[in-house]
Amino acid sequence: MRVPIMAANWKMNKTSGETREFIKTFKPLVADVRETEIVIAPPFTSLQAAADLLEGGNIRLAGQDVFYEVSGAYTGEVSPLMLKDAACSYVIVGHSERRQYFGETDETANRKAKAAQDAGLTVIFCIGETLEEREAGNTFDVLKRQTTEGLRGVRADGLVVAYEPVWAIGTGKTASPEQAQEAHRFIRSELVTMYGGAADTIRILYGGSVKPDNISSLMSKEDVDGALVGGASLKVDSFAAIVKYGQET
Ligand code: PGA
């Protein structure tokens, strides 16, 4: 039985004051949630503010990115140990926006994932095809490359995969539950090749325009084990409704 994860990716949004405001309202709304792991990835500058309010509760913190070295002359970067020190237990690696705007490759994402696991962080490893790749019929080839190259040497324990079709991110176009399941099933089969039976324990999240009104149908699919939520995670009510999908809020 895989415990679902609902993860908020705030991207470059919310100051520490706005983070505090969000968490103060959000925390009591989800305080009774036991069967779903809740993760929030604020910007680095808001981690401390979030950590102060989340200590001892049922909401975990994530970094949105990480560098693969432990320390040194890497201006602007944040190490896995620094994220641990800032109370993170998760980190997002290889997000399509990092790949698209900041030169992230399968190779750098792979190094980051390994370094993050070495520091004891659970990696949320993002993969997904662009619209051109989907239209050219290359979706499975891309997912295969991103998993085999990106996850080489990465352990199953401490790994979560996020399938985020690039054409669905921030566009309002969600993959249909069937499209998501098809991709997730393919990813699971790749994970079986890499990890054998342990592949069954790896949560595969869906990301891309997840909203309160589409989460239940996505979650009804066998290989969809949660969601990585961007836009809809910025508002307390909508993220709480996603976390508590299928219940009255
Ligand atoms: P979105 O972003 O929910 O705004 O589409 C998802 C993501 O990029 O993780």
Side-chain angles (χ1 to χ4, degrees):
M1 185 53 203
R2 295 183 290 267
V3 177
I5 300 179
M6 295 300 169
N9 174 12
W10 283 356
K11 309 191 180 186
M12 199 173 70
N13 294 289
K14 296 196 191 292
T15 60
S16 49
E18 290 163 344
T19 297
R20 271 187 217 100
E21 224 173 278
F22 180 104
I23 289 175
K24 277 185 193 152
T25 330
F26 179 71
K27 201 175 152 184
L29 294 181
V30 298
D32 60 342
V33 172
R34 292 282 165 270
E35 264 95 70
T36 299
E37 277 182 52
I38 309 167
V39 177
I40 297 181
F44 294 136
T45 47
S46 290
L47 282 170
Q48 189 61 55
D52 289 345
L53 292 170
L54 294 179
E55 209 186 332
N58 62 339
I59 303 168
R60 303 275 162 264
L61 273 177
Q64 294 180 13
D65 188 26
V66 68
F67 195 53
Y68 44 73
E69 297 291 350
V70 173
S71 63
Y74 302 102
T75 302
E77 293 298 322
V78 169
S79 80
L81 287 178
M82 290 167 181
L83 288 184
K84 281 292 280 184
D85 181 55
C88 290
S89 36
Y90 287 84
V91 62
I92 299 170
V93 170
H95 190 277
S96 66
E97 286 149 17
R98 302 297 317 171
R99 294 176 190 257
Q100 193 178 345
Y101 305 128
F102 304 103
E104 188 87 278
T105 62
D106 293 330
E107 194 210 328
T108 55
N110 177 254
R111 292 179 74 178
K112 290 176 178 188
K114 287 188 288 194
Q117 283 194 337
D118 285 347
L121 293 160
T122 295
V123 171
I124 302 175
F125 195 86
C126 302
I127 57 175
E129 80 287 0
T130 63
L131 185 60
E132 297 73 53
E133 289 164 340
R134 175 163 280 262
E135 286 178 344
N138 293 335
T139 299
F140 292 157
D141 288 343
V142 171
L143 296 178
K144 189 181 184 68
R145 192 204 72 225
Q146 289 175 332
T147 45
T148 45
E149 307 280 312
L151 297 177
R152 183 172 293 142
V154 175
R155 296 189 314 271
D157 174 31
L159 172 65
V160 173
V161 174
Y163 169 61
E164 300 205 305
V166 179
W167 48 272
I169 295 180
T171 57
K173 284 190 204 138
T174 327
S176 68
E178 291 68 32
Q179 282 172 318
Q181 170 58 21
E182 186 187 34
H184 283 223
R185 190 195 301 116
F186 177 80
I187 294 163
R188 178 99 50 215
S189 70
E190 288 301 306
L191 296 175
V192 168
T193 308
M194 296 180 77
Y195 299 111
D200 257 351
T201 63
I202 300 175
R203 270 84 54 94
I204 306 177
L205 314 184
Y206 170 77
S209 299
V210 171
K211 304 269 176 323
D213 62 6
N214 59 26
I215 185 67
S216 292
S217 54
L218 287 161
M219 288 302 290
S220 72
K221 295 297 178 190
E222 190 184 336
D223 289 293
V224 178
D225 306 316
L228 183 54
V229 188
S233 75
L234 293 171
K235 293 221 167 65
V236 169
D237 290 350
S238 65
F239 190 50
I242 289 169
V243 167
K244 302 177 92 166
Y245 70 97
Q247 298 174 32
E248 294 293 319
T249 47

